[in-house]
Amino acid sequence: MPGSGRHERGRDEGEPGRMTPLLRAVIGLSTLVVLALAAVLFLPGRGAVHGQEAQEGAGQVQQLESGAQLYVQNCASCHGSNGEGGPNGPSLVGVGPANLDFQMWTGRMPLAAPNEPGYRQEPTLTEAQRNAITAYAVQNFAGPQPAIPQVASSGDLRLGWELYVNNCAACHGPSGAGGAIGAGNVAPPLNAVDAVRMAEATIVGPGTMPAFLFPPDQLAALTAYVTFLQTAPSPGGISLAGVGPVPEGFIAGILGLGGLVVVARWVGRRHPS
């Protein structure tokens, strides 16, 4: 039939405005890709990560600004505006964060007045202030090395004892109680020093103390042994700085004999012959 032939030709040639299966597949795939990209870009977790990164960046900028102000107030008069040093203080160029942190943590810096000798005392700056000064100095002139050490929580006590006896006991004493080392210098006690500051002192070598370049396992062993000394038991009673049984026995003998003499004289006066 003539009408039927026209209908079949229209079906074969395609109707205007009607999508082919291939076009529908392309459009569907494109939609899926767009949705996937939108999910990746706008997920709440990713937004939180970006927000956290922005917050951390702002915190670092604020810390550096605070460190610059604190440096000018507490350090620049002796060490120079750019850490170059001067008549009243040495250069801080390239000293590294471990040195800066140790000097401020032990109260040696900042000085109360120019040319006053630095000595160990309670720190005058808070931890946040010390961190800010260190961050500013490291970025501008102090450099990144030597870094503040990451001390292992455990170490070989036997190895630490050997290292301590061979390198530290002569000045700091067998028990870490400290002592005079001549020429007006005193090795401070180690009974209240944490492991990080012990490691910093070993690396930096403050004052007359030499610097020791121990590998990480030896540094961990040494700090573990000194930490052990801080809480080591004293089975014989009062440790008397842990100098050993002979000196302790000698002191006990003197005190004991002196006590006996006092008692004998007291008894003799009460019962005269």
Side-chain angles (χ1 to χ4, degrees):
M1 296 176 62
S4 176
R6 286 195 300 271
H7 179 75
E8 292 297 332
R9 282 195 300 272
R11 183 180 295 178
D12 293 338
E13 295 173 358
E15 297 178 0
R18 185 174 181 180
M19 291 187 296
T20 65
L22 179 59
L23 182 59
R24 286 198 299 268
V26 170
I27 294 175
L29 182 60
S30 301
T31 304
L32 290 175
V33 171
V34 171
L35 291 175
L37 289 175
V40 171
L41 292 175
F42 298 103
L43 278 175
R46 187 174 180 83
V49 169
H50 282 297
Q52 183 178 2
E53 291 176 352
Q55 187 175 5
E56 290 176 355
Q60 292 174 355
V61 171
Q62 185 177 4
Q63 184 186 51
L64 290 173
E65 292 176 350
S66 174
Q69 295 176 358
L70 290 166
Y71 179 84
V72 170
Q73 295 169 1
N74 296 279
C75 316
S77 60
C78 293
H79 297 287
S81 58
N82 295 309
E84 71 274 14
N88 299 326
S91 170
L92 299 179
V93 176
V95 298
N99 201 323
L100 297 171
D101 183 69
F102 179 83
Q103 298 292 344
M104 291 186 288
W105 188 90
T106 57
R108 289 178 168 88
M109 295 292 158
L111 298 177
N115 296 321
E116 180 179 298
Y119 57 91
R120 187 188 182 98
Q121 58 182 334
E122 288 296 319
T124 57
L125 299 173
T126 66
E127 182 177 2
Q129 290 174 328
R130 297 195 300 268
N131 291 340
I133 292 176
T134 299
Y136 168 76
V138 166
Q139 185 180 73
N140 289 276
F141 48 79
Q145 297 296 330
I148 297 175
Q150 301 293 323
V151 183
S153 58
S154 61
D156 186 345
L157 289 180
R158 174 71 184 186
L159 176 60
W161 170 77
E162 293 177 355
L163 292 168
Y164 184 84
V165 169
N166 293 328
N167 299 282
C168 314
C171 296
H172 292 283
S175 66
I181 55 178
N185 295 311
V186 176
L190 304 177
N191 54 4
V193 182
D194 62 46
V196 174
R197 249 50 66 175
M198 282 187 279
E200 285 179 343
T202 304
I203 295 170
V204 170
T208 58
M209 175 179 167
F212 296 91
L213 300 179
F214 293 127
D217 61 329
Q218 293 185 0
L219 191 61
L222 180 61
T223 56
Y225 179 72
V226 176
T227 302
F228 164 76
L229 285 178
Q230 296 174 352
T231 57
S234 180
I238 300 176
S239 66
L240 297 178
V243 292
V246 174
E248 292 179 1
F250 184 71
I251 294 173
I254 292 177
L255 294 177
L257 291 174
L260 289 175
V261 170
V262 171
V263 171
R265 290 179 61 85
W266 179 75
V267 172
R269 287 184 178 181
R270 290 180 58 88
H271 303 282
S273 57

